[in-house]
């Protein structure tokens, strides 16, 4: 009986030990699973965080680059506007725009070639924060690990960005930004330009309204040379007009005349709404013919006016029939010439003061022996500014130019107000 009871106690102990071992095995398994799940969750959380940081970095670098390029575009537009305002001709404009395009496009290319925003092995520790953007704390953030040059085939720039935490780094996120290959270019666009030409420059232009007379012209007595309005006449060797009628048929009305030698008018003479440049203008009439300079401008080195029996030097200023009506803002500019002595020039000035019948605001401009220029009107004589070349009276009388409206091709550029770069493409 005792032996039997002792055996039963042994079985009870073994069963108890077995149950305890089984419970310990289950507890160990559950603990291992729990720890593994925790590690997996932490790893997943870290991956989500680093990926989110990389996406934040991609957006940051995209916006920074677009901002910089748009600033270059805005600067270029400002500089183009300055060039357009200061250029004096289309040729000048093209030259200046070409130089500006070279500079601005080189600046854009240099920007694309730069590793700006990118941390490299040689980046000094003191400025790493300038290349690596920190989020919350220094152990978390994003950095640019790779960037390409601009691909000229599709005008894109590619970037690779990673996000990082204390323990993990994301897979690189690659993005592509569409950017301009150049800031300025000579395009097909045209604009209207008002170009200012001297008479000599205008005479060499291939204009339909220019009439070039290569040989000396000498009309027969009684023959009228009809100047057609709105035309430019270039008498390369001058001319003599023996029957220049006063009125619409034979007068200089709405024309421009340039002569490489003297022009002589030996009958009635009228110039109205016209410009005339010549070496010598000779108006010599046998009678007190009606003559007038009306709303016109004349430039010459010598102007000889003889009416009736009156000689050039002894015009009677009190006899209006011996004078030329000079009216409606007309100008006469007598420019010195080395071949004409100062005494002869001064005598010509004196004569024109008397022979021109000054009306309204018409002005006679000339130079004295002291080198200064003067303006003479019906109210008397006045000196021009020392810098006579920029004096408005001198410019109006002695610097006649032809204003021509021309359609010309111009440089084009991105509009800084409407510039829209393509959205980033994530891969």
């Amino acid at each position: 009986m005792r032996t039997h009871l002792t055996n039963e106690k042994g079985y009870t102990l073994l069963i108890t030990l077995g149950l305890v071992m089984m419970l310990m095995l289950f507890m160990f398994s559950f603990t291992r699973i729990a720890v593994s799940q925790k590690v997996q969750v932490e790893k997943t959380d870290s991956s989500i965080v680093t990926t989110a940081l990389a996406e934040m970095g991609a957006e940051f670098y995209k916006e920074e680059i677009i901002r910089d390029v748009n600033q270059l575009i805005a600067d270029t537009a400002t500089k183009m506007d300055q060039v357009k305002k200061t250029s004096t001709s289309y040729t000048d404009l093209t030259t200046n725009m070409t130089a500006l395009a070279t500079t601005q496009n080189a600046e854009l290319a240099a920007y694309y070639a730069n590793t700006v925003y990118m941390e490299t092995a040689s980046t000094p520790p003191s400025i790493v924060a300038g290349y690596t953007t920190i989020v919350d704390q220094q152990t978390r953030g994003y950095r640019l690990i790779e960037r390409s040059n601009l691909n000229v085939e599709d005008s894109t720039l590619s970037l690779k960005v990673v996000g990082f935490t204390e323990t993990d780094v994301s897979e690189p996120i690659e993005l592509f930004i569409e950017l301009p290959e150049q800031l300025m270019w000579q395009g097909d666009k045209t604009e209207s330009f008002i170009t200012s030409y001297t008479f000599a420059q205008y005479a060499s232009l291939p204009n339909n309204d220019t009439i070039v007379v290569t040989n000396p012209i000498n009309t027969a007595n009684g023959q009228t040379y009809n100047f057609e309005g709105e035309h430019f006449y270039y008498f390369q060797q001058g001319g003599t007009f023996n029957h220049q009628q006063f009125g619409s048929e034979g007068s200089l009305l709405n024309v421009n005349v340039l002569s490489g030698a003297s022009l002589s008018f030996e009958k009635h003479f009228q110039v109205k709404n016209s410009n005339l440049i010549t070496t010598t203008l000779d108006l010599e009439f046998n009678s007190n013919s009606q003559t007038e300079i009306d709303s016109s401008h004349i430039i010459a080195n010598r102007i000889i006016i003889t009416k009736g029996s009156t000689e050039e030097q002894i015009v009677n200023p009190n006899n209006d029939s011996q004078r030329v009506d000079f009216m409606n803002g007309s100008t006469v500019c007598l420019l010195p010439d080395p071949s004409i002595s100062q005494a002869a020039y001064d005598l010509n000035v004196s004569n024109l003061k008397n022979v021109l019948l000054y009306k309204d605001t018409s002005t006679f401009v000339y130079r004295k022996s002291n080198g200064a220029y003067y303006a003479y009107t019906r109210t008397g004589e006045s000196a021009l500014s020392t810098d006579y070349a920029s004096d408005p009276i001198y410019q109006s009388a002695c610097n006649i130019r032809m204003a021509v409206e021309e359609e010309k091709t111009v440089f084009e550029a991105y509009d800084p107000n409407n510039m829209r770069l393509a959205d980033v493409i994530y891969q």
Side-chain angles (χ1 to χ4, degrees):
M1 177 62 75
R2 288 179 179 176
T3 301
H4 180 71
L5 293 173
T6 300
N7 292 337
E8 288 182 354
K9 289 179 180 180
Y11 283 122
T12 301
L13 179 60
L14 288 172
I15 292 171
T16 302
L17 290 173
L19 291 172
V20 170
M21 290 180 66
M22 290 178 65
L23 289 172
M24 290 180 66
L25 287 172
F26 280 124
M27 291 178 63
F28 178 76
S29 297
F30 287 140
T31 301
R32 185 175 180 182
I33 292 171
V35 170
S36 176
Q37 288 180 340
K38 179 183 178 182
V39 171
Q40 186 65 36
V41 168
E42 289 179 348
K43 185 174 182 180
T44 302
D45 287 345
S46 179
S47 177
I48 292 173
V49 170
T50 56
T51 300
L53 289 170
E55 291 176 349
M56 291 172 60
E59 190 67 24
F60 170 80
Y61 292 121
K62 180 197 79 168
E63 293 299 327
E64 288 292 292
I65 291 173
I66 290 176
R67 182 203 64 189
D68 290 344
V69 173
N70 277 337
Q71 185 59 55
L72 286 172
I73 291 170
D75 292 344
T76 300
T78 300
K79 292 175 181 177
M80 288 179 70
D81 188 56
Q82 292 173 345
V83 167
K84 189 172 181 179
K85 289 179 180 178
T86 55
S87 297
T88 57
S89 66
Y90 175 73
T91 300
D92 188 33
L93 176 73
T94 303
T95 300
N96 294 337
M97 283 293 189
T98 301
L100 179 62
T102 300
T103 300
Q104 295 304 109
N105 290 335
E107 186 174 351
L108 181 66
Y111 174 79
Y112 289 153
N114 200 337
T115 55
V116 65
Y117 309 124
M118 192 163 126
E119 182 178 345
T120 64
S122 60
T123 303
S126 60
I127 62 171
V128 165
Y131 291 80
T132 303
T133 304
I134 306 302
V135 180
D136 295 334
Q137 51 185 303
Q138 291 188 355
T139 53
R140 293 189 175 197
Y142 42 79
R143 64 169 60 96
L144 182 64
I145 62 170
E146 184 180 322
R147 59 160 290 177
S148 70
N149 289 325
L150 186 73
N151 186 335
V152 295
E153 292 183 359
D154 56 10
S155 301
T156 59
L157 188 73
S158 66
L159 309 175
K160 286 185 179 179
V161 182
V162 297
F164 60 89
T165 62
E166 303 90 331
T167 58
D168 198 9
V169 177
S170 73
E171 290 294 321
I173 285 184
E174 186 173 14
L175 62 148
F176 298 88
I177 309 174
E178 186 175 343
L179 297 168
E181 296 178 36
Q182 52 187 349
L183 296 171
M184 291 175 58
W185 61 92
Q186 181 91 44
D188 297 328
K189 182 179 178 182
T190 61
E191 286 186 13
S192 294
F193 289 90
I194 302 297
T195 306
S196 177
Y197 293 101
T198 66
F199 266 41
Q201 291 171 333
Y202 187 85
S204 64
L205 294 178
N207 293 314
N208 293 329
D209 67 337
T210 301
I211 299 173
V212 179
V213 182
T214 57
N215 297 319
I217 187 168
N218 192 343
T219 61
N221 188 22
Q223 179 184 356
T224 299
Y225 187 96
N226 292 318
F227 288 89
E228 297 181 24
E230 311 301 332
H231 280 73
F232 185 96
Y233 289 84
Y234 179 24
F235 298 103
Q236 293 183 341
Q237 298 188 52
T240 299
F241 305 90
N242 292 291
H243 187 75
Q244 186 63 29
Q245 303 231 358
F246 186 95
S248 60
E249 289 186 6
S251 62
L252 276 66
L253 177 63
N254 298 322
V255 298
N256 295 284
V257 178
L258 171 67
S259 178
S262 64
L263 292 177
S264 297
F265 296 89
E266 299 187 358
K267 294 291 183 181
H268 302 274
F269 174 78
Q270 178 196 37
V271 53
K272 185 174 183 179
N273 295 324
S274 299
N275 300 304
L276 190 154
I277 299 178
T278 183
T279 57
T280 299
L281 177 62
D282 190 351
L283 306 178
E284 186 173 356
F285 313 125
N286 296 326
S287 62
N288 293 331
S289 305
Q290 186 176 2
T291 56
E292 70 177 35
I293 300 171
D294 183 358
S295 306
S296 298
H297 307 281
I298 297 174
I299 299 176
N301 302 120
R302 185 165 175 77
I303 299 177
I304 303 171
I305 300 178
T306 305
K307 297 187 67 175
S309 60
T310 304
E311 296 296 332
E312 172 195 359
Q313 292 85 354
I314 55 175
V315 171
N316 182 358
N318 298 317
N319 186 351
D320 288 350
S321 66
Q322 296 180 1
R323 306 173 75 187
V324 174
D325 288 326
F326 188 42
M327 56 191 180
N328 292 330
S330 295
T331 62
V332 167
C333 177
L334 194 68
L335 292 176
D337 185 274
S339 64
I340 300 173
S341 69
Q342 186 65 47
Y345 179 85
D346 292 341
L347 185 60
N348 199 176
V349 169
S350 177
N351 173 253
L352 291 175
K353 286 181 179 179
N354 291 327
V355 78
L356 296 176
L357 181 58
Y358 295 84
K359 299 179 180 180
D360 306 312
T361 56
S362 296
T363 306
F364 169 40
V365 175
Y366 50 91
R367 192 182 74 175
K368 288 190 175 181
S369 57
N370 60 6
Y373 275 85
Y374 288 77
Y376 190 85
T377 65
R378 65 178 180 173
T379 60
E381 181 182 79
S382 60
L384 301 185
S385 60
T386 305
D387 184 15
Y388 64 87
S390 62
D391 189 288
I393 297 177
Y394 179 90
Q395 287 294 325
S396 175
C398 304
N399 191 22
I400 303 175
R401 302 182 71 88
M402 296 289 291
V404 181
E405 183 174 354
E406 300 171 297
E407 285 290 326
K408 298 289 188 179
T409 58
V410 296
F411 273 83
E412 297 181 68
Y414 284 94
D415 183 351
N417 298 318
N418 298 318
M419 183 61 184
R420 296 291 183 270
L421 300 179
D423 290 337
V424 65
I425 302 172
Y426 292 100
Q427 287 189 347

